[in-house]
Every structure is written in structure tokens, then in C-alpha cells.
Amino acid sequence: MIPTELPRRAFAIISHPDAGKTTLTEKFLLYGGAIELAGTVTSRKHQRATASDWMELEKQRGISISSTLLQFDYGGFRVNLLDTPGHKDFSEDTYRVLTAVDSVVMVIDAASGVEAQTRKLFEVCRRRGIPIFTFMNKCDRPTRPPLDLLDELEKTLGIGAFPVNWPIGTGPSFRGVYDRMAQQLHLFEKTPYGAYVAPTEVGGLDDPKLLSRLDHSSHADSIDEVRMLDETGGAGGAFNAQAVLEGRLTPVYFGSAINNFGVQLLLDGFLRHSSPPVPRTAKTGPVQPGDPRFSGFVFKIQANMDPRHRDRIAFVRVVSGTFTRDMQAVHVQSGRRVRLGNATKLFGNQRETVDHAVAGDVVGLVGNDLFGIGDTLSEDRTIQFDEIPEFTPEVFAYLHNPQPGNSKKFNLGLEQLLREGVARRFEVVGGAQKVTLLAAIGTLQFEVLTHRLLNEYGAESRIETAPWSVARWWRFRGQQAQTADSIGDSALPEIPQGARLAVDDRGRSVVLFSDQWLLKFFGDRNPSVEVSPIPFDKPAAIALDANA
């Protein structure tokens, strides 16, 4: 018997590093009842690691460097929350996750405002039309004036901002928030290390009991601002739910994730106004969530989440229809029918068998080596999604194996990590040394790869920085792009000193440059050649230029 379906919400949390993304993720789980005790990313010995950071390197560094699926039921919804890497070197992983969600929570440090990584991630969401909810975090520390933060949000990101609530006090005097929608004052009490749900007193703006707790001059200023906003309708005008779904307006919430202040108001408001599952575009046209045919796409692959089982999990976003364990589906890229048997939902690195999933859910499929990132699974082989963006590498390095006798483990680990998308493998045309050339967005990706090679596969490795930082796909004007099979049989462009011809991991021809000046020089010397920061066979609508 199929249970009554809860409405689905699939979302990710994005931010600049250290804005509090992983802490907020943990607090959502706390308020959602998925955990009883929240950890933090600090180093106190008596505190727990966060539930979403499962990789050993994440626990050592106190940063998120992988994406994790966290699913829980709350407030009449089934919530699929995808925790994403905050570090800019792992933007590629974050961008792939954004293809699998329908809404986003954007965390901003209220002391810093909009930062570089925030702008970059926001632009990706804008291109995809993803609704964005904003959380101004760390209000328990000295912050910029709330009106300044809203003004910057609108001017820098070009989106309307509506403050759903308003902070009462700032820094050490921060006591709570005023919910403008419900016209209620919420005053919070701290709990030890923010490990438990914060006790809250709720009342009207004129409640003498609550006002007696607001004795700081900043509290009076906050109350005056609230009254001014309510009287004038300033700071964003009226709330427009449709404008939120269209990505033209972002609801703004203030709070402190570390102290659990304002977290529940954010979670409740997000679920009330965020987007349900939306259609995804296949090559034959849009596929609606209500389409009875099962379909989905792989947006992430992760190996060795459980050190006791050296297995591999493909994360699949269900686009339409109903998934049932042991069902048959077509792996569209190979044309083969496969049994979807070992299905699981995840909580960090913990697993639970999944028997049933619908549009908006994310399912982990364990153990099938056939699946790759971007692949489609469907009951109808004519459905094929092309959701995953492709990226321009910005750093390159040679990966050496210092122990040739350990080549089997080295090659096995490298192949698996490359299939996960930890980095990409390029090959220099005519290169003398048969050493793997890695390509990535940031150098920390190389560090993660070597760390995991050693700790998960027992294979030592050594990184040697390569001299290139600009990659461009190329072709002669009016002709098909060169491939690894055709490049030796045709004329080649004139390659200046310091640049090299190469092929990417799909056999497409690339030129590598040390800097932008050399790229311009190449263009001047080869007027019959056109170059592109994205492959010519990748649709521009979903390809992302990392240098843009």
C-alpha cells in the first residue's frame, strides 16, 4: 500500500565560506526533529561534529568539501536538504547540486554583507530561475545596519528584498526578531552551545512583559524601525509570493544559527513559500512532475561514504513518476535496462533503505558502476535530460605515483575519484611523460584527491603544479571541433610558446594557456580559429563559464 504522499521540497543552502551554512544545516535538522543534539564546526572536545560533514578531511578542517543529502519530515512536508561545499574550490560540486533543487536558502554574514562567492552562486541560481530565500546570519555579533544590508542585497544582486522579520538589537544585545507577517515579537534564550531548541517567548509589539526584557538603547531603535516599516511599507514594499517563485523577490530573515535564533521562523516561512517540484527539460521537451513515467537524473556520485563498505552511490533526483525499489528502468546513455535495487536515503553517511520515492525526492543508488554524472534513468528511453553544467578549469597539475608497485590501488582509486567529479583528466597532445594531467576549479580539489587516494585506497601520490591557468576549446571557423581521433589527421593552429594543445576527458580538443595575454596572442596569430570557454557541443543555456 502506497502511503499518503507528503508534499516535497528539495533545496540547498549556499553561502560564502564561514557565513554559517553548515551550522544552519545542522539547526534545520534540530528543528526538523531529525537530530536531538546539534553539533558545531568548532573544535571543543566535548562537542559533536556536524551531521552533514562526514568526510574525515571535513572534520579536520571544519569545512564542507562534499555534498550531502539529508532528508526529514517536518510541518507536513518531506524535506530533501542538500548540504553543499562552501569553499570556492568546490563550486563545481555546488553547481551540480543546484540542478537537483527547486529552491535555495542563501546565508549571508550580517557583518560582511554580500561576498564574492555569494554573488557567484546567486548568479547560477538566477540563470536557472531558482527561488532564493535569504538568511542574514550572526546577528548575535556586531552587524551592519539591517537597512544597509537590504540595500546592498538589492543593488548588488539586482533582486527585490522583503524583510519577513526584523532583528531586535544587534551583537551582544540581540534578543530576537519581530515577525512582520504575523506581527509578533519573538524573544529567544540561549542554550549551551546552541545544542537544543531555543526557548522562545512570543507576543505583540506592545506586550509589557516582553518589552520589559528590552532595556538596551539598540532595542528601542529596532522597535522604532519596525514601526516605521509597518507604517510605510518600506524596505521591499509588499510581500509577493509569485515574485518569490519567479526569482524576482527574496524573502529576508534575520537571526543567529549558532544560537538557534530565528531558525524555526526561517524554516516555517521557507516551506510555506518555496517552490514545489518543477519540470525539467529533456531533449524531447519539458517533463512535468505529474508525468506518470518514472524519470530522474544522476547529479552526483560519491564513493566510500561508509569506510566499512567500499561502495559507490549515485545520487538521483526524481523528476517524474514513482520510484519503487527493485523496479526496472532504462539507463538512457547506454540503452541498457537496469534493476534499481539497492536504493537508500542518507543522513550524512548513515543509510536507510528506500522503497518508494516521487518527484522532488533524491535517492541514493548503491553499487552500479554504469551510472555517470548527468546520466538519465527512465521508464521511457526517449526521455534524456541534459541538466549538468560544464565548467572551465582554472588550475592544472600533474599527478605522480611515487610507488609504481602500488599501481593497481593508485589506478583504481584515481578512476573512481575522477568519475565522482573530484577533478577532471586532460591529456597533452604529444606529451612525452605519461603522467595524469588533472584539471579543476581550485587547488583544494587536488588536495582532497590525494588525501582520499591515501586514506581510502592506500595509494600515495604527489602533485606537481602545471603552468597553465586558462583553457579554451577550439575549432576552425565553419568546421566541426577537433577530437582526439581527428587531431592528428588535420591542420593545427599555430601554438605560441607557453601554450599546449590538449584533449579533455571526452576527447575534445583544447588549448591550454598560462595567462589571458597568451590567449589573446593566440587569437591574433590564428584568425581562422574560434575558441570558447565551454565545449562547442554543450548547450549554452546550461553550460557555465567559470571565468565569467
Side-chain angles (χ1 to χ4, degrees):
M1 179 179 177
I2 296 177
T4 302
E5 297 292 358
L6 295 174
R8 266 43 177 191
R9 291 295 184 269
F11 75 101
I13 303 179
I14 62 172
S15 75
H16 192 84
D18 298 323
K21 173 187 61 63
T22 301
T23 301
L24 181 61
T25 299
E26 190 88 349
K27 300 314 174 74
F28 276 165
L29 301 178
L30 176 66
Y31 277 85
I35 58 175
E36 295 180 353
L37 182 69
T40 73
V41 292
T42 59
S43 60
R44 294 185 180 92
K45 292 182 180 179
H46 58 277
Q47 291 183 312
R48 302 167 55 255
T50 56
S52 56
D53 286 343
W54 58 270
M55 193 183 294
E56 187 60 36
L57 191 59
E58 292 178 309
K59 296 174 182 177
Q60 293 174 9
R61 289 274 189 113
I63 59 173
S64 296
I65 57 177
S66 64
S67 302
T68 305
L69 165 65
L70 304 155
Q71 188 184 80
F72 59 94
D73 294 346
Y74 174 79
F77 293 87
R78 177 150 296 169
V79 180
N80 293 272
L81 168 56
L82 288 111
D83 184 34
T84 61
H87 197 286
K88 63 181 179 62
D89 285 6
F90 295 92
S91 300
E92 192 168 351
D93 199 22
T94 299
Y95 297 156
R96 287 194 288 257
V97 167
L98 291 177
T99 66
V101 302
D102 303 305
S103 302
V104 157
V105 172
M106 178 171 65
V107 183
I108 293 178
D109 184 334
S112 304
V114 178
E115 299 177 88
Q117 184 71 352
T118 311
R119 287 193 293 270
K120 202 170 185 179
L121 292 169
F122 173 85
E123 185 56 36
V124 177
C125 295
R126 186 209 298 273
R127 293 187 188 191
R128 295 191 61 84
I130 301 174
I132 297 172
F133 293 70
T134 301
F135 184 61
M136 295 291 182
N137 193 23
K138 302 186 181 181
C139 291
D140 58 316
R141 304 179 184 180
T143 69
R144 293 169 55 185
L147 286 171
D148 287 359
L149 290 168
L150 294 173
D151 185 60
E152 180 186 50
L153 194 64
E154 293 188 330
K155 290 181 177 177
T156 303
L157 302 183
I159 188 172
F162 179 87
V164 177
N165 61 27
W166 198 257
I168 304 300
T170 182
S173 67
F174 179 59
R175 292 294 179 268
V177 297
Y178 176 70
D179 183 347
R180 298 181 63 214
M181 307 285 276
Q183 296 186 326
Q184 288 184 319
L185 190 62
H186 294 250
L187 301 186
F188 305 98
E189 294 181 14
K190 288 186 178 181
T191 62
Y193 307 116
Y196 303 95
V197 171
T200 307
E201 285 190 81
V202 181
L205 196 58
D206 297 316
D207 188 323
K209 182 180 177 183
L210 297 185
L211 292 177
S212 68
R213 293 179 53 190
L214 304 178
D215 53 5
H216 194 276
S217 60
S218 64
H219 299 154
D221 293 340
S222 298
I223 297 296
D224 289 342
E225 290 172 344
V226 165
R227 296 187 192 280
M228 180 271 293
L229 290 173
D230 288 346
E231 289 172 2
T232 64
F239 182 78
N240 185 327
Q242 187 59 37
V244 174
L245 293 177
E246 294 174 357
R248 296 184 288 109
L249 180 72
T250 178
V252 180
Y253 297 78
F254 291 83
S256 167
I258 193 74
N259 291 307
N260 306 329
F261 289 7
V263 172
Q264 187 169 7
L265 289 172
L266 169 63
L267 181 56
D268 290 344
F270 171 82
L271 293 176
R272 188 160 51 246
H273 297 294
S274 58
S275 173
V278 298
R280 292 296 196 274
T281 301
K283 290 187 175 180
T284 54
V287 178
Q288 301 293 332
D291 191 317
R293 299 169 295 175
F294 165 75
S295 67
F297 62 91
V298 178
F299 66 91
K300 179 178 174 60
I301 291 173
Q302 186 73 59
N304 308 324
M305 292 185 73
D306 185 345
R308 297 168 298 179
H309 306 286
R310 295 301 188 189
D311 56 14
R312 179 177 185 269
I313 299 179
F315 291 83
V316 177
R317 161 64 191 253
V318 180
V319 174
S320 66
T322 301
F323 166 90
T324 54
R325 188 161 60 95
D326 290 326
M327 72 179 295
Q328 294 279 328
V330 177
H331 176 250
V332 175
Q333 276 66 22
S334 67
R336 291 169 52 183
R337 292 192 67 83
V338 293
R339 184 176 69 89
L340 306 181
N342 197 352
T344 183
K345 68 178 180 180
L346 298 106
F347 189 81
N349 65 340
Q350 304 300 311
R351 307 181 187 183
E352 181 180 331
T353 299
V354 168
D355 295 314
H356 172 84
V358 298
D361 283 333
V362 176
V363 176
L365 299 177
V366 183
N368 197 317
D369 292 338
L370 182 64
F371 303 156
I373 292 174
D375 287 359
T376 300
L377 298 170
S378 177
E379 290 179 308
D380 183 344
R381 65 178 65 245
T382 65
I383 296 177
Q384 183 173 352
F385 300 107
D386 196 1
E387 287 282 328
I388 306 300
E390 196 159 335
F391 308 88
T392 309
E394 299 178 3
V395 292
F396 296 84
Y398 288 106
L399 181 70
H400 296 271
N401 178 10
Q403 295 182 322
N406 207 21
S407 294
K408 185 175 181 179
K409 290 182 177 179
F410 178 89
N411 292 331
L412 173 66
L414 177 60
E415 289 300 323
Q416 179 58 64
L417 295 174
L418 290 176
R419 292 206 69 185
E420 286 185 26
V422 174
R424 298 176 65 180
R425 175 163 47 198
F426 280 39
E427 183 179 342
V428 174
V429 174
Q433 55 177 353
K434 296 300 179 182
V435 180
T436 298
L437 176 63
L438 299 176
I441 300 295
T443 56
L444 189 55
Q445 289 178 256
F446 300 147
E447 183 179 338
V448 169
L449 188 143
T450 57
H451 174 90
R452 293 186 62 190
L453 272 177
L454 180 61
N455 287 272
E456 297 175 19
Y457 298 94
E460 291 188 10
S461 58
R462 179 174 61 85
I463 288 290
E464 176 192 357
T465 302
W468 308 294
S469 61
V470 179
R472 290 293 184 267
W473 284 263
W474 69 273
R475 66 183 178 189
F476 288 106
R477 299 185 187 278
Q479 300 183 21
Q480 293 291 321
Q482 302 294 321
T483 66
D485 295 331
S486 64
I487 195 170
D489 301 325
S490 58
L492 297 176
E494 183 179 343
I495 305 299
Q497 186 175 359
R500 292 296 299 268
L501 280 176
V503 291
D504 67 10
D505 45 6
R506 297 189 184 181
R508 299 169 299 200
S509 190
V510 183
V511 188
L512 306 178
F513 304 95
S514 57
D515 52 37
Q516 292 288 336
W517 183 89
L518 202 59
L519 168 61
K520 183 179 183 303
F521 182 76
F522 172 84
D524 293 340
R525 297 293 293 269
N526 295 277
S528 63
V529 173
E530 61 177 321
V531 297
S532 170
I534 57 177
F536 292 101
D537 62 350
K538 196 68 175 175
I542 63 170
L544 179 70
D545 178 7
N547 291 324

